[in-house]
Amino acid sequence: MDDKALFDALVSQGSLKREAADLLLREAQSIKRRPEDLLYSRRLVDDGEVARLKSALLKIPYKKVDLDAVTPEVLKSIPGETARTYRIVPIARSQDLLVAGMLNPDDNAAREALRFLAKQQRINLGVYVVSASDVESVLKKYFLFGEDIAAALQSMNLKPGEGLTDIQRIVKLEEGMTENDKAPVIRIVSSLLKEAVNIGASDIHIEPGRSKLRVRFRIDGSLREVSALPVELQQPVISRVKVLSSLKLDENRMPQDGRFRSIIFDREIDFRVATFPTPNGEKVALRVLDPTTGLKSLDDLGVAGRNLEILKAGLAKPYGAVLLTGPTGSGKTTTLYALMQILNKQEVNIVSLEDPVEYTLDGVNQSQVKPEIGYDFASGLREILRQDPDIIMVGEIRDKETAELSVHAALTGHIVLATLHTNSAAGVIPRLVDMGVEPFLLPSALNLMAAQRLVGRLCSKCRKAEDPSPQLLEIIKTELKLIPPEAVSSLATPYKIYHAPGCSACGGKGIVGRVAIFEVFQMTPQLADVLNSGINENKILEEMRRQKTVFLRSDGILKALQGLVPIEDVLKETKES
């Protein structure tokens, strides 16, 4: 069964629009991913419905997995590595029969792997089509590390209290540690990294405590504990991460930074590693850089309506600066990458200065600054101007010299993309002036100023509409008065807000990923007059209102009324327009 047959069937039964199906098929081909994977990651169709449809097309029965029946003994039937690679999971086991669930029963490699296991164990096979979410739920059961933890402790002859820091351990004179077989620890770290990629975590935190080694993943902006390893495994696990990232094993008093790349689930994943000394031992934070989830388009980010129109118009200009602002963790760098992907064409030379380089973009000349050797944003910018650039990306404007060089580059015929720290788009100009940039240069140098925040995206499967409270309704009406009428006219009345209680599709969280809220305004002759008469943030705000700017809170409320985000999160992340 080819992917087109499945998508045609989804279209014919009304589960997917033809335009969306064709777009997904083209996109999957261009980024070399399975169209079905895109279908699941964007939650366009219920995965159970897809599984039942595949069952009918392939004439293989469908089964809903009973997770309680998938015991540790059942899991032993199929090795975790095989289960992850081929998306085959054991769902029942008797003396002479293994019942397996397959996401893709028509995958020849998966069928061969299953037949090999059955022959090896001298057991009969039963096969069902199962849903993607059921496969993921079973795979998570492998993540308990039970056997690998026991094997690691046994193979290294570790006794309770060995391998700990001075604060953690109860000192015994005869204590010591030998390492005979590192394979179980290697498997533990490998499983950690794969699970983080599998569930879309952005960061992994390995944190030593007095009695356990805590492992937490950051998912959709929030940290969640996924495992607590015996404290005796602290040093071996952290040493393994340091080996992977080529860090000094014997240096645990000073922070270290490194990175490494690995092939996971048939795609290249970068991991950025940072160690940090604590009284209990070294803490390790790993940033998971997965291009398939980290590189997004403007549509994926949530830029829409008037904000999208202004942004595209600004990018079409032959030179000038586009400056993004927002607090740490608001997605500014992700937006910069989205803009570079739009501008990345064969006839232009794009050069970037980043700290660090998070994703590799083909066709973009990316460079990582290293302040410790004197290669910072300012010195890098001076060198970039000798590289005949058309477009320059500066990861962050932090000081006077970088600000002046960025403005100079924008004035001399270059498009400059950069970020800086302010609370709003209106604060961009005062911030540049505070850094020492001459105000009279800004009208000619600046094209666009934008601010953004990240808000949790509501699960489309379990979100429910409800009437807003009188207080919320008043806030909604006040903000909508500030928005161009054409943006408000598409909203259904009476206004509804949405909440998601949680379901199997979102893991009970009610949130699936995050969406950005934006405010974007442009340089105009009127704004130039404001700047020439003296920098005043209130006058800049008046000009933004004259431009009919959709402010952060207004954009968030529009998205809340469309069922994309919880309105409470919007109000928490923004202030009144």
Side-chain angles (χ1 to χ4, degrees):
M1 180 190 71
D2 61 13
D3 293 309
K4 189 174 186 308
L6 175 62
F7 276 62
D8 287 344
L10 287 168
V11 170
S12 66
Q13 70 177 25
S15 301
L16 192 66
K17 292 183 178 179
R18 169 52 64 189
E19 298 80 10
D22 292 342
L23 181 63
L24 278 176
L25 289 167
R26 288 197 302 272
E27 184 178 347
Q29 186 177 15
S30 66
I31 64 175
K32 295 180 173 56
R33 285 188 67 189
R34 284 178 59 97
E36 197 176 324
D37 292 341
L38 295 181
L39 198 66
Y40 296 140
S41 64
R42 296 175 188 179
R43 291 175 168 81
L44 298 176
V45 179
D46 179 73
D47 64 342
E49 183 181 344
V50 176
R52 285 187 286 270
L53 190 54
K54 286 166 73 173
S55 169
L57 291 170
L58 296 170
K59 294 181 171 49
I60 298 173
Y62 163 78
K63 187 175 182 65
K64 175 69 179 168
V65 177
D66 179 5
L67 292 175
D68 293 334
V70 186
T71 63
E73 287 302 314
V74 172
L75 287 175
K76 290 178 182 177
S77 304
I78 299 178
E81 190 69 25
T82 302
R84 287 190 185 284
T85 301
Y86 298 107
R87 289 300 191 260
I88 310 169
V89 293
I91 55 181
R93 172 73 188 257
S94 63
Q95 189 172 358
D96 59 351
L97 177 67
L98 167 63
V99 180
M102 300 182 71
L103 183 63
N104 300 302
D106 55 334
D107 183 337
N108 289 329
R111 290 205 306 265
E112 284 298 320
L114 194 55
R115 279 197 287 264
F116 174 79
L117 288 173
K119 184 177 179 180
Q120 188 182 50
Q121 299 174 34
R122 297 179 181 177
I123 195 169
N124 295 318
L125 277 175
V127 173
Y128 287 93
V129 178
V130 294
S131 68
S133 58
D134 278 350
V135 169
E136 298 305 324
S137 296
V138 176
L139 288 177
K140 287 177 182 177
K141 286 177 171 278
Y142 285 98
F143 188 53
L144 298 177
F145 301 138
E147 292 182 3
D148 281 340
I149 289 171
L153 292 171
Q154 183 178 5
S155 66
M156 292 183 292
N157 295 323
L158 285 175
K159 299 179 177 63
E162 288 189 322
L164 311 185
T165 64
D166 291 339
I167 287 181
Q168 292 170 320
R169 66 184 169 203
I170 299 172
V171 176
K172 295 180 180 179
L173 295 178
E174 69 275 13
E175 69 185 7
M177 172 176 150
T178 60
E179 293 187 13
N180 297 324
D181 181 8
K182 297 179 181 178
V185 171
I186 292 172
R187 285 199 297 269
I188 289 172
V189 174
S190 175
S191 296
L192 270 174
L193 301 181
K194 289 178 181 178
E195 180 65 9
V197 172
N198 182 49
I199 64 177
S202 62
D203 299 87
I204 305 168
H205 291 257
I206 303 174
E207 303 168 320
R210 291 175 65 91
S211 59
K212 66 178 181 180
L213 182 65
R214 181 170 66 167
V215 180
R216 294 193 291 171
F217 290 169
R218 188 175 295 279
I219 304 167
D220 297 335
S222 299
L223 281 171
R224 188 172 76 197
E225 184 170 331
V226 295
S227 186
L229 304 180
V231 73
E232 290 83 2
L233 290 180
Q234 170 187 317
Q235 197 57 48
V237 167
I238 291 173
S239 293
R240 176 59 183 164
V241 175
K242 292 171 80 171
V243 167
L244 287 171
S245 46
S246 301
L247 299 180
K248 295 177 181 177
L249 291 175
D250 57 351
E251 178 56 81
N252 52 25
R253 300 165 301 169
M254 295 285 291
Q256 297 186 71
D257 293 319
R259 66 188 301 155
F260 64 94
R261 176 177 294 182
S262 183
I263 304 294
I264 298 179
F265 306 137
D266 296 324
R267 58 186 191 264
E268 288 189 1
I269 309 294
D270 279 311
F271 294 90
R272 199 171 77 222
V273 182
T275 68
F276 185 76
T278 76
N280 291 320
E282 286 183 285
K283 175 189 184 299
V284 177
L286 297 94
R287 171 63 57 88
V288 183
L289 301 170
D290 183 351
T292 61
T293 58
L295 292 176
K296 299 180 182 296
S297 67
L298 292 179
D299 288 339
D300 293 334
L301 290 169
V303 189
R306 181 165 174 76
N307 283 337
L308 183 60
E309 292 172 10
I310 296 173
L311 198 50
K312 286 185 174 179
L315 290 176
K317 293 183 179 179
Y319 61 88
V322 176
L323 301 183
L324 300 174
T325 186
T328 301
S330 59
K332 300 187 297 296
T333 303
T334 303
T335 303
L336 281 183
Y337 277 106
L339 299 180
M340 284 197 292
Q341 288 180 91
I342 293 172
L343 296 169
N344 187 9
K345 295 181 173 60
Q346 186 174 353
E347 60 269 20
V348 297
N349 177 24
I350 304 179
V351 188
S352 76
L353 283 173
E354 305 176 49
D355 185 18
V357 174
E358 295 199 354
Y359 299 101
T360 302
L361 294 177
D362 289 338
V364 177
N365 302 290
Q366 297 170 268
S367 181
Q368 179 166 328
V369 299
K370 295 181 179 178
E372 65 273 14
I373 61 171
Y375 181 51
D376 55 16
F377 283 114
S379 61
L381 259 174
R382 283 194 294 270
E383 296 303 322
I384 278 181
L385 292 172
R386 299 188 182 105
Q387 291 294 318
D388 183 32
D390 299 293
I391 299 161
I392 299 169
M393 190 277 257
V394 181
E396 185 180 345
I397 296 176
R398 297 174 178 171
D399 53 51
K400 177 182 178 180
E401 191 174 7
T402 307
E404 288 178 337
L405 286 167
S406 299
V407 169
H408 173 72
L411 287 169
T412 53
H414 304 91
I415 294 175
V416 177
L417 309 175
T419 74
L420 72 166
H421 282 287
T422 68
N423 290 324
S424 66
V428 168
I429 292 170
R431 177 69 177 138
L432 290 174
V433 173
D434 287 344
M435 285 181 168
V437 177
E438 293 291 344
F440 70 87
L441 297 175
L442 296 178
S444 300
L446 296 181
N447 279 346
L448 296 178
M449 293 130 285
Q452 69 180 84
R453 301 288 189 275
L454 288 178
V455 184
R457 185 191 294 270
L458 287 169
C459 174
S460 60
K461 300 300 180 186
C462 62
R463 70 183 178 195
K464 300 182 186 302
E466 58 187 68
D467 295 322
S469 67
Q471 293 86 349
L472 278 178
L473 185 58
E474 190 61 34
I475 293 172
I476 290 168
K477 289 180 177 178
T478 301
E479 289 295 328
L480 292 184
K481 289 177 184 176
L482 304 173
I483 300 175
E486 58 270 20
V488 179
S489 61
S490 60
L491 296 174
T493 54
Y495 299 129
K496 298 286 185 181
I497 60 173
Y498 295 79
H499 293 98
C503 64
S504 59
C506 60
K509 297 181 300 178
I511 297 294
V512 180
R514 289 186 290 176
V515 64
I517 55 177
F518 290 88
E519 62 184 28
V520 184
F521 79 110
Q522 56 194 328
M523 181 58 66
T524 60
Q526 293 86 345
L527 181 55
D529 291 341
V530 170
L531 302 187
N532 291 331
S533 63
I535 304 300
N536 184 306
E537 193 163 334
N538 288 330
K539 289 184 178 179
I540 294 173
L541 283 169
E542 288 177 11
E543 168 58 17
M544 290 176 71
R545 294 188 184 102
R546 190 201 66 79
Q547 290 186 26
K548 297 182 180 178
T549 299
V550 178
F551 289 89
L552 281 172
R553 176 166 284 196
S554 301
D555 189 44
I557 285 177
L558 276 176
K559 290 180 168 74
L561 296 177
Q562 292 164 356
L564 293 176
V565 298
I567 193 168
E568 293 82 4
D569 289 1
V570 171
L571 300 179
K572 183 174 70 174
E573 291 289 337
T574 62
K575 65 177 185 177
E576 292 183 24
S577 305

